[in-house]
Amino acid sequence: LMRRMGLWKRLRAAPLSRAQLLGSRIASCALIGLIVFAVVYAVAVAFFGVRISGSVPGFVAVLVAFALLTSSFGLMIAALGRTPEATRGLAILATLLMVMLGGAWVPSFIFPPWLQKVSMWMPTHWAVDGLDAMTWRGLPLQAALLPVAALLGFTLLFSAVALARFQWEE
């Protein structure tokens, strides 16, 4: 929609690089994501008894990495889509597949072994694993490091694709 309204062309008139413009978009969307996560977890703690039994810094690190991942994923989808309608359909399909295969709907440990291996290639697997480790499994900060690294790796991949594929002139 921003492309259709000409906002990207106006933003390109500013003395900023493409990476700075897209990076600022990722950062602002990640901040919104963190606010949403804070509200969701506040409700979960207040009404459903969810507790952070593990490392609080690890929990925060996983949430920050996941917020960056989701915003870079959204920007990548926007860069790949031609119209808002087509982009919405692509985003829904990709999100549902990642949620299902990553173990967010059904725990991945009940998947057959071959699907558990596929699950490791889904960013949602790492988010679920990191959040599980920091909440109900009560693990220390070290248990968050691999999920955070994987989430940030996917973030870099999605950001690179978005930067390479973003069409400024449409």
Side-chain angles (χ1 to χ4, degrees), residues 123-168:
T124 48
H125 167 82
W126 297 102
V128 168
D129 189 52
L131 291 172
D132 283 352
M134 298 302 106
T135 55
W136 67 270
R137 286 193 282 165
L139 298 178
L141 176 63
Q142 291 77 13
L145 298 180
L146 182 58
V148 167
L151 290 169
L152 293 177
F154 279 108
T155 297
L156 289 175
L157 173 67
F158 294 162
S159 298
V161 171
L163 186 60
R165 293 293 312 250
F166 207 85
Q167 301 293 321
W168 297 98

mmCIF file of all heavy atoms in Angstrom, residues 123-168:
data_model
loop_
_atom_site.group_PDB
_atom_site.id
_atom_site.type_symbol
_atom_site.label_atom_id
_atom_site.label_comp_id
_atom_site.label_asym_id
_atom_site.label_seq_id
_atom_site.Cartn_x
_atom_site.Cartn_y
_atom_site.Cartn_z
ATOM 1 N N PRO A 123 11.771 -20.800 10.953
ATOM 2 C CA PRO A 123 12.096 -19.846 12.012
ATOM 3 C C PRO A 123 11.170 -19.965 13.219
ATOM 4 O O PRO A 123 11.598 -19.734 14.358
ATOM 5 C CB PRO A 123 11.955 -18.478 11.345
ATOM 6 C CG PRO A 123 11.380 -18.702 10.010
ATOM 7 C CD PRO A 123 11.444 -20.150 9.696
ATOM 8 N N THR A 124 9.939 -20.372 12.987
ATOM 9 C CA THR A 124 9.010 -20.508 14.111
ATOM 10 C C THR A 124 9.444 -21.611 15.070
ATOM 11 O O THR A 124 9.159 -21.530 16.265
ATOM 12 C CB THR A 124 7.586 -20.792 13.597
ATOM 13 O OG1 THR A 124 7.643 -21.832 12.625
ATOM 14 C CG2 THR A 124 6.971 -19.553 13.000
ATOM 15 N N HIS A 125 10.121 -22.621 14.569
ATOM 16 C CA HIS A 125 10.634 -23.681 15.441
ATOM 17 C C HIS A 125 11.558 -23.081 16.502
ATOM 18 O O HIS A 125 11.472 -23.422 17.680
ATOM 19 C CB HIS A 125 11.391 -24.727 14.620
ATOM 20 C CG HIS A 125 12.200 -25.666 15.453
ATOM 21 N ND1 HIS A 125 11.657 -26.765 16.066
ATOM 22 C CD2 HIS A 125 13.516 -25.648 15.808
ATOM 23 C CE1 HIS A 125 12.604 -27.398 16.750
ATOM 24 N NE2 HIS A 125 13.738 -26.728 16.606
ATOM 25 N N TRP A 126 12.420 -22.178 16.067
ATOM 26 C CA TRP A 126 13.399 -21.595 16.979
ATOM 27 C C TRP A 126 12.745 -20.636 17.962
ATOM 28 O O TRP A 126 13.163 -20.545 19.119
ATOM 29 C CB TRP A 126 14.514 -20.934 16.187
ATOM 30 C CG TRP A 126 15.236 -21.967 15.386
ATOM 31 C CD1 TRP A 126 15.105 -22.210 14.045
ATOM 32 C CD2 TRP A 126 16.139 -22.948 15.895
ATOM 33 N NE1 TRP A 126 15.888 -23.282 13.695
ATOM 34 C CE2 TRP A 126 16.533 -23.752 14.803
ATOM 35 C CE3 TRP A 126 16.652 -23.222 17.153
ATOM 36 C CZ2 TRP A 126 17.419 -24.806 14.955
ATOM 37 C CZ3 TRP A 126 17.538 -24.275 17.302
ATOM 38 C CH2 TRP A 126 17.913 -25.053 16.203
ATOM 39 N N ALA A 127 11.712 -19.932 17.521
ATOM 40 C CA ALA A 127 10.992 -19.042 18.430
ATOM 41 C C ALA A 127 10.272 -19.863 19.502
ATOM 42 O O ALA A 127 10.353 -19.550 20.693
ATOM 43 C CB ALA A 127 10.000 -18.183 17.652
ATOM 44 N N VAL A 128 9.575 -20.906 19.077
ATOM 45 C CA VAL A 128 8.861 -21.766 20.031
ATOM 46 C C VAL A 128 9.853 -22.425 20.986
ATOM 47 O O VAL A 128 9.631 -22.462 22.203
ATOM 48 C CB VAL A 128 8.016 -22.827 19.276
ATOM 49 C CG1 VAL A 128 7.507 -23.900 20.224
ATOM 50 C CG2 VAL A 128 6.868 -22.168 18.544
ATOM 51 N N ASP A 129 10.961 -22.922 20.456
ATOM 52 C CA ASP A 129 11.964 -23.579 21.293
ATOM 53 C C ASP A 129 12.547 -22.615 22.331
ATOM 54 O O ASP A 129 12.677 -22.950 23.507
ATOM 55 C CB ASP A 129 13.071 -24.153 20.408
ATOM 56 C CG ASP A 129 14.032 -25.023 21.189
ATOM 57 O OD1 ASP A 129 13.572 -25.944 21.890
ATOM 58 O OD2 ASP A 129 15.257 -24.771 21.104
ATOM 59 N N GLY A 130 12.873 -21.400 21.892
ATOM 60 C CA GLY A 130 13.429 -20.413 22.814
ATOM 61 C C GLY A 130 12.441 -19.980 23.877
ATOM 62 O O GLY A 130 12.782 -19.864 25.065
ATOM 63 N N LEU A 131 11.200 -19.739 23.470
ATOM 64 C CA LEU A 131 10.187 -19.320 24.444
ATOM 65 C C LEU A 131 9.835 -20.451 25.408
ATOM 66 O O LEU A 131 9.629 -20.214 26.603
ATOM 67 C CB LEU A 131 8.946 -18.795 23.727
ATOM 68 C CG LEU A 131 9.157 -17.471 22.988
ATOM 69 C CD1 LEU A 131 7.930 -17.119 22.151
ATOM 70 C CD2 LEU A 131 9.509 -16.352 23.943
ATOM 71 N N ASP A 132 9.769 -21.682 24.894
ATOM 72 C CA ASP A 132 9.551 -22.833 25.786
ATOM 73 C C ASP A 132 10.670 -22.941 26.822
ATOM 74 O O ASP A 132 10.412 -23.172 28.000
ATOM 75 C CB ASP A 132 9.500 -24.140 24.987
ATOM 76 C CG ASP A 132 8.199 -24.363 24.262
ATOM 77 O OD1 ASP A 132 7.254 -23.585 24.479
ATOM 78 O OD2 ASP A 132 8.131 -25.319 23.467
ATOM 79 N N ALA A 133 11.903 -22.787 26.370
ATOM 80 C CA ALA A 133 13.054 -22.918 27.265
ATOM 81 C C ALA A 133 13.026 -21.864 28.363
ATOM 82 O O ALA A 133 13.391 -22.142 29.512
ATOM 83 C CB ALA A 133 14.353 -22.818 26.468
ATOM 84 N N MET A 134 12.589 -20.662 28.030
ATOM 85 C CA MET A 134 12.614 -19.570 29.006
ATOM 86 C C MET A 134 11.373 -19.526 29.884
ATOM 87 O O MET A 134 11.391 -18.906 30.940
ATOM 88 C CB MET A 134 12.771 -18.223 28.292
ATOM 89 C CG MET A 134 14.068 -18.071 27.514
ATOM 90 S SD MET A 134 15.536 -18.276 28.542
ATOM 91 C CE MET A 134 16.118 -19.884 28.059
ATOM 92 N N THR A 135 10.283 -20.167 29.465
ATOM 93 C CA THR A 135 9.060 -20.136 30.281
ATOM 94 C C THR A 135 8.917 -21.454 31.037
ATOM 95 O O THR A 135 9.492 -21.612 32.104
ATOM 96 C CB THR A 135 7.820 -19.827 29.411
ATOM 97 O OG1 THR A 135 7.725 -20.764 28.331
ATOM 98 C CG2 THR A 135 7.869 -18.414 28.871
ATOM 99 N N TRP A 136 8.205 -22.405 30.499
ATOM 100 C CA TRP A 136 7.842 -23.590 31.280
ATOM 101 C C TRP A 136 8.986 -24.561 31.521
ATOM 102 O O TRP A 136 8.972 -25.305 32.504
ATOM 103 C CB TRP A 136 6.642 -24.305 30.660
ATOM 104 C CG TRP A 136 6.865 -24.934 29.325
ATOM 105 C CD1 TRP A 136 6.684 -24.346 28.111
ATOM 106 C CD2 TRP A 136 7.283 -26.265 29.063
ATOM 107 N NE1 TRP A 136 6.982 -25.222 27.103
ATOM 108 C CE2 TRP A 136 7.355 -26.419 27.664
ATOM 109 C CE3 TRP A 136 7.616 -27.355 29.863
ATOM 110 C CZ2 TRP A 136 7.748 -27.607 27.058
ATOM 111 C CZ3 TRP A 136 7.996 -28.536 29.251
ATOM 112 C CH2 TRP A 136 8.062 -28.648 27.863
ATOM 113 N N ARG A 137 10.028 -24.571 30.654
ATOM 114 C CA ARG A 137 11.144 -25.487 30.910
ATOM 115 C C ARG A 137 12.135 -24.930 31.925
ATOM 116 O O ARG A 137 12.935 -25.675 32.480
ATOM 117 C CB ARG A 137 11.865 -25.842 29.610
ATOM 118 C CG ARG A 137 11.061 -26.808 28.752
ATOM 119 C CD ARG A 137 11.865 -27.398 27.644
ATOM 120 N NE ARG A 137 11.998 -26.434 26.559
ATOM 121 C CZ ARG A 137 12.861 -26.540 25.576
ATOM 122 N NH1 ARG A 137 13.694 -27.552 25.519
ATOM 123 N NH2 ARG A 137 12.913 -25.632 24.625
ATOM 124 N N GLY A 138 12.113 -23.613 32.159
ATOM 125 C CA GLY A 138 12.940 -23.002 33.193
ATOM 126 C C GLY A 138 14.437 -23.125 32.976
ATOM 127 O O GLY A 138 15.182 -23.296 33.934
ATOM 128 N N LEU A 139 14.888 -23.015 31.735
ATOM 129 C CA LEU A 139 16.310 -23.193 31.438
ATOM 130 C C LEU A 139 17.080 -21.875 31.565
ATOM 131 O O LEU A 139 16.499 -20.792 31.530
ATOM 132 C CB LEU A 139 16.463 -23.774 30.033
ATOM 133 C CG LEU A 139 15.826 -25.152 29.831
ATOM 134 C CD1 LEU A 139 15.982 -25.618 28.397
ATOM 135 C CD2 LEU A 139 16.435 -26.167 30.787
ATOM 136 N N PRO A 140 18.410 -21.961 31.705
ATOM 137 C CA PRO A 140 19.217 -20.748 31.859
ATOM 138 C C PRO A 140 19.407 -20.010 30.528
ATOM 139 O O PRO A 140 19.005 -20.487 29.467
ATOM 140 C CB PRO A 140 20.554 -21.278 32.386
ATOM 141 C CG PRO A 140 20.639 -22.668 31.849
ATOM 142 C CD PRO A 140 19.212 -23.172 31.825
ATOM 143 N N LEU A 141 20.066 -18.864 30.616
ATOM 144 C CA LEU A 141 20.310 -18.008 29.460
ATOM 145 C C LEU A 141 20.963 -18.757 28.295
ATOM 146 O O LEU A 141 20.624 -18.512 27.130
ATOM 147 C CB LEU A 141 21.193 -16.822 29.877
ATOM 148 C CG LEU A 141 21.632 -15.869 28.775
ATOM 149 C CD1 LEU A 141 20.431 -15.172 28.152
ATOM 150 C CD2 LEU A 141 22.622 -14.847 29.320
ATOM 151 N N GLN A 142 21.856 -19.676 28.567
ATOM 152 C CA GLN A 142 22.553 -20.399 27.498
ATOM 153 C C GLN A 142 21.589 -21.135 26.573
ATOM 154 O O GLN A 142 21.872 -21.304 25.388
ATOM 155 C CB GLN A 142 23.565 -21.410 28.083
ATOM 156 C CG GLN A 142 24.749 -20.778 28.763
ATOM 157 C CD GLN A 142 24.423 -20.226 30.149
ATOM 158 O OE1 GLN A 142 23.365 -20.518 30.724
ATOM 159 N NE2 GLN A 142 25.315 -19.413 30.680
ATOM 160 N N ALA A 143 20.444 -21.546 27.095
ATOM 161 C CA ALA A 143 19.461 -22.252 26.267
ATOM 162 C C ALA A 143 18.782 -21.322 25.272
ATOM 163 O O ALA A 143 18.180 -21.791 24.309
ATOM 164 C CB ALA A 143 18.410 -22.923 27.151
ATOM 165 N N ALA A 144 18.884 -20.021 25.472
ATOM 166 C CA ALA A 144 18.285 -19.058 24.549
ATOM 167 C C ALA A 144 19.241 -18.668 23.431
ATOM 168 O O ALA A 144 18.810 -18.128 22.414
ATOM 169 C CB ALA A 144 17.842 -17.802 25.304
ATOM 170 N N LEU A 145 20.529 -18.941 23.596
ATOM 171 C CA LEU A 145 21.522 -18.447 22.641
ATOM 172 C C LEU A 145 21.354 -19.038 21.238
ATOM 173 O O LEU A 145 21.400 -18.305 20.249
ATOM 174 C CB LEU A 145 22.933 -18.688 23.175
ATOM 175 C CG LEU A 145 23.266 -17.964 24.486
ATOM 176 C CD1 LEU A 145 24.693 -18.273 24.918
ATOM 177 C CD2 LEU A 145 23.030 -16.474 24.361
ATOM 178 N N LEU A 146 21.166 -20.351 21.138
ATOM 179 C CA LEU A 146 20.988 -20.961 19.823
ATOM 180 C C LEU A 146 19.696 -20.501 19.154
ATOM 181 O O LEU A 146 19.721 -20.110 17.973
ATOM 182 C CB LEU A 146 21.054 -22.487 19.907
ATOM 183 C CG LEU A 146 20.925 -23.237 18.578
ATOM 184 C CD1 LEU A 146 22.014 -22.807 17.597
ATOM 185 C CD2 LEU A 146 20.962 -24.733 18.817
ATOM 186 N N PRO A 147 18.546 -20.495 19.838
ATOM 187 C CA PRO A 147 17.342 -19.960 19.202
ATOM 188 C C PRO A 147 17.488 -18.496 18.764
ATOM 189 O O PRO A 147 17.061 -18.134 17.669
ATOM 190 C CB PRO A 147 16.258 -20.111 20.279
ATOM 191 C CG PRO A 147 16.708 -21.261 21.098
ATOM 192 C CD PRO A 147 18.206 -21.140 21.130
ATOM 193 N N VAL A 148 18.122 -17.676 19.593
ATOM 194 C CA VAL A 148 18.318 -16.266 19.223
ATOM 195 C C VAL A 148 19.214 -16.174 17.996
ATOM 196 O O VAL A 148 18.923 -15.412 17.060
ATOM 197 C CB VAL A 148 18.893 -15.460 20.408
ATOM 198 C CG1 VAL A 148 19.403 -14.103 19.968
ATOM 199 C CG2 VAL A 148 17.833 -15.292 21.493
ATOM 200 N N ALA A 149 20.289 -16.950 17.960
ATOM 201 C CA ALA A 149 21.187 -16.932 16.797
ATOM 202 C C ALA A 149 20.460 -17.375 15.530
ATOM 203 O O ALA A 149 20.623 -16.769 14.462
ATOM 204 C CB ALA A 149 22.406 -17.821 17.056
ATOM 205 N N ALA A 150 19.645 -18.427 15.641
ATOM 206 C CA ALA A 150 18.893 -18.900 14.474
ATOM 207 C C ALA A 150 17.893 -17.846 14.011
ATOM 208 O O ALA A 150 17.771 -17.577 12.808
ATOM 209 C CB ALA A 150 18.177 -20.211 14.803
ATOM 210 N N LEU A 151 17.182 -17.230 14.951
ATOM 211 C CA LEU A 151 16.208 -16.197 14.589
ATOM 212 C C LEU A 151 16.900 -15.007 13.924
ATOM 213 O O LEU A 151 16.405 -14.466 12.930
ATOM 214 C CB LEU A 151 15.423 -15.751 15.819
ATOM 215 C CG LEU A 151 14.441 -16.771 16.391
ATOM 216 C CD1 LEU A 151 13.935 -16.323 17.756
ATOM 217 C CD2 LEU A 151 13.288 -17.002 15.441
ATOM 218 N N LEU A 152 18.043 -14.598 14.460
ATOM 219 C CA LEU A 152 18.773 -13.482 13.850
ATOM 220 C C LEU A 152 19.349 -13.859 12.487
ATOM 221 O O LEU A 152 19.418 -13.020 11.583
ATOM 222 C CB LEU A 152 19.869 -12.992 14.795
ATOM 223 C CG LEU A 152 19.371 -12.335 16.078
ATOM 224 C CD1 LEU A 152 20.548 -11.955 16.975
ATOM 225 C CD2 LEU A 152 18.496 -11.120 15.775
ATOM 226 N N GLY A 153 19.729 -15.125 12.316
ATOM 227 C CA GLY A 153 20.181 -15.588 11.001
ATOM 228 C C GLY A 153 19.067 -15.511 9.970
ATOM 229 O O GLY A 153 19.284 -15.033 8.844
ATOM 230 N N PHE A 154 17.878 -15.964 10.343
ATOM 231 C CA PHE A 154 16.726 -15.835 9.442
ATOM 232 C C PHE A 154 16.398 -14.370 9.188
ATOM 233 O O PHE A 154 16.016 -13.995 8.076
ATOM 234 C CB PHE A 154 15.502 -16.563 10.011
ATOM 235 C CG PHE A 154 15.489 -18.042 9.778
ATOM 236 C CD1 PHE A 154 15.705 -18.927 10.819
ATOM 237 C CD2 PHE A 154 15.251 -18.564 8.510
ATOM 238 C CE1 PHE A 154 15.689 -20.295 10.609
ATOM 239 C CE2 PHE A 154 15.232 -19.931 8.289
ATOM 240 C CZ PHE A 154 15.453 -20.798 9.340
ATOM 241 N N THR A 155 16.546 -13.529 10.208
ATOM 242 C CA THR A 155 16.300 -12.099 10.043
ATOM 243 C C THR A 155 17.239 -11.515 8.997
ATOM 244 O O THR A 155 16.804 -10.752 8.122
ATOM 245 C CB THR A 155 16.482 -11.366 11.391
ATOM 246 O OG1 THR A 155 15.517 -11.855 12.307
ATOM 247 C CG2 THR A 155 16.325 -9.859 11.236
ATOM 248 N N LEU A 156 18.506 -11.869 9.064
ATOM 249 C CA LEU A 156 19.475 -11.376 8.073
ATOM 250 C C LEU A 156 19.132 -11.876 6.674
ATOM 251 O O LEU A 156 19.214 -11.117 5.699
ATOM 252 C CB LEU A 156 20.892 -11.793 8.463
ATOM 253 C CG LEU A 156 21.479 -11.081 9.669
ATOM 254 C CD1 LEU A 156 22.837 -11.675 10.038
ATOM 255 C CD2 LEU A 156 21.602 -9.590 9.405
ATOM 256 N N LEU A 157 18.743 -13.135 6.566
ATOM 257 C CA LEU A 157 18.363 -13.692 5.271
ATOM 258 C C LEU A 157 17.150 -12.959 4.693
ATOM 259 O O LEU A 157 17.162 -12.524 3.534
ATOM 260 C CB LEU A 157 18.059 -15.187 5.405
ATOM 261 C CG LEU A 157 17.489 -15.878 4.165
ATOM 262 C CD1 LEU A 157 18.535 -15.903 3.055
ATOM 263 C CD2 LEU A 157 17.019 -17.272 4.508
ATOM 264 N N PHE A 158 16.107 -12.806 5.488
ATOM 265 C CA PHE A 158 14.900 -12.130 5.018
ATOM 266 C C PHE A 158 15.185 -10.672 4.666
ATOM 267 O O PHE A 158 14.669 -10.147 3.679
ATOM 268 C CB PHE A 158 13.786 -12.213 6.070
ATOM 269 C CG PHE A 158 13.265 -13.606 6.335
ATOM 270 C CD1 PHE A 158 12.553 -13.874 7.485
ATOM 271 C CD2 PHE A 158 13.487 -14.653 5.456
ATOM 272 C CE1 PHE A 158 12.053 -15.141 7.746
ATOM 273 C CE2 PHE A 158 13.004 -15.928 5.702
ATOM 274 C CZ PHE A 158 12.285 -16.163 6.852
ATOM 275 N N SER A 159 16.020 -10.015 5.468
ATOM 276 C CA SER A 159 16.368 -8.616 5.196
ATOM 277 C C SER A 159 17.155 -8.486 3.898
ATOM 278 O O SER A 159 16.937 -7.550 3.115
ATOM 279 C CB SER A 159 17.181 -8.035 6.354
ATOM 280 O OG SER A 159 16.440 -8.048 7.538
ATOM 281 N N ALA A 160 18.070 -9.404 3.666
ATOM 282 C CA ALA A 160 18.865 -9.369 2.431
ATOM 283 C C ALA A 160 17.984 -9.575 1.206
ATOM 284 O O ALA A 160 18.148 -8.883 0.188
ATOM 285 C CB ALA A 160 19.967 -10.430 2.489
ATOM 286 N N VAL A 161 17.044 -10.510 1.303
ATOM 287 C CA VAL A 161 16.116 -10.737 0.187
ATOM 288 C C VAL A 161 15.266 -9.491 -0.047
ATOM 289 O O VAL A 161 15.071 -9.054 -1.186
ATOM 290 C CB VAL A 161 15.227 -11.979 0.438
ATOM 291 C CG1 VAL A 161 14.120 -12.089 -0.604
ATOM 292 C CG2 VAL A 161 16.068 -13.241 0.445
ATOM 293 N N ALA A 162 14.775 -8.890 1.027
ATOM 294 C CA ALA A 162 13.957 -7.674 0.901
ATOM 295 C C ALA A 162 14.757 -6.549 0.263
ATOM 296 O O ALA A 162 14.266 -5.858 -0.638
ATOM 297 C CB ALA A 162 13.431 -7.239 2.268
ATOM 298 N N LEU A 163 15.986 -6.382 0.699
ATOM 299 C CA LEU A 163 16.831 -5.311 0.149
ATOM 300 C C LEU A 163 17.120 -5.547 -1.330
ATOM 301 O O LEU A 163 17.083 -4.625 -2.130
ATOM 302 C CB LEU A 163 18.137 -5.216 0.948
ATOM 303 C CG LEU A 163 19.070 -4.082 0.612
ATOM 304 C CD1 LEU A 163 18.376 -2.735 0.832
ATOM 305 C CD2 LEU A 163 20.330 -4.164 1.463
ATOM 306 N N ALA A 164 17.379 -6.802 -1.683
ATOM 307 C CA ALA A 164 17.709 -7.122 -3.080
ATOM 308 C C ALA A 164 16.491 -7.027 -3.993
ATOM 309 O O ALA A 164 16.614 -6.631 -5.161
ATOM 310 C CB ALA A 164 18.304 -8.524 -3.158
ATOM 311 N N ARG A 165 15.322 -7.379 -3.504
ATOM 312 C CA ARG A 165 14.130 -7.472 -4.346
ATOM 313 C C ARG A 165 13.205 -6.271 -4.279
ATOM 314 O O ARG A 165 12.238 -6.200 -5.030
ATOM 315 C CB ARG A 165 13.319 -8.721 -3.956
ATOM 316 C CG ARG A 165 13.972 -10.038 -4.247
ATOM 317 C CD ARG A 165 14.115 -10.288 -5.731
ATOM 318 N NE ARG A 165 12.888 -10.037 -6.437
ATOM 319 C CZ ARG A 165 12.106 -10.944 -6.993
ATOM 320 N NH1 ARG A 165 12.428 -12.185 -6.943
ATOM 321 N NH2 ARG A 165 11.000 -10.585 -7.603
ATOM 322 N N PHE A 166 13.473 -5.331 -3.401
ATOM 323 C CA PHE A 166 12.536 -4.228 -3.233
ATOM 324 C C PHE A 166 12.531 -3.339 -4.473
ATOM 325 O O PHE A 166 13.568 -2.883 -4.930
ATOM 326 C CB PHE A 166 12.875 -3.404 -1.992
ATOM 327 C CG PHE A 166 11.687 -2.721 -1.425
ATOM 328 C CD1 PHE A 166 10.849 -3.373 -0.549
ATOM 329 C CD2 PHE A 166 11.351 -1.441 -1.799
ATOM 330 C CE1 PHE A 166 9.729 -2.771 -0.024
ATOM 331 C CE2 PHE A 166 10.239 -0.819 -1.297
ATOM 332 C CZ PHE A 166 9.423 -1.487 -0.397
ATOM 333 N N GLN A 167 11.340 -3.096 -5.012
ATOM 334 C CA GLN A 167 11.170 -2.252 -6.195
ATOM 335 C C GLN A 167 10.788 -0.849 -5.758
ATOM 336 O O GLN A 167 9.694 -0.617 -5.283
ATOM 337 C CB GLN A 167 10.066 -2.838 -7.096
ATOM 338 C CG GLN A 167 10.319 -4.235 -7.576
ATOM 339 C CD GLN A 167 11.491 -4.307 -8.535
ATOM 340 O OE1 GLN A 167 11.686 -3.444 -9.378
ATOM 341 N NE2 GLN A 167 12.297 -5.351 -8.374
ATOM 342 N N TRP A 168 11.698 0.086 -5.937
ATOM 343 C CA TRP A 168 11.437 1.457 -5.504
ATOM 344 C C TRP A 168 10.643 2.248 -6.504
ATOM 345 O O TRP A 168 9.989 3.212 -6.176
ATOM 346 C CB TRP A 168 12.774 2.172 -5.284
ATOM 347 C CG TRP A 168 13.578 1.565 -4.204
ATOM 348 C CD1 TRP A 168 14.593 0.691 -4.331
ATOM 349 C CD2 TRP A 168 13.411 1.776 -2.811
ATOM 350 N NE1 TRP A 168 15.086 0.343 -3.115
ATOM 351 C CE2 TRP A 168 14.374 0.994 -2.149
ATOM 352 C CE3 TRP A 168 12.547 2.545 -2.040
ATOM 353 C CZ2 TRP A 168 14.496 0.965 -0.783
ATOM 354 C CZ3 TRP A 168 12.675 2.526 -0.681
ATOM 355 C CH2 TRP A 168 13.631 1.731 -0.058
#
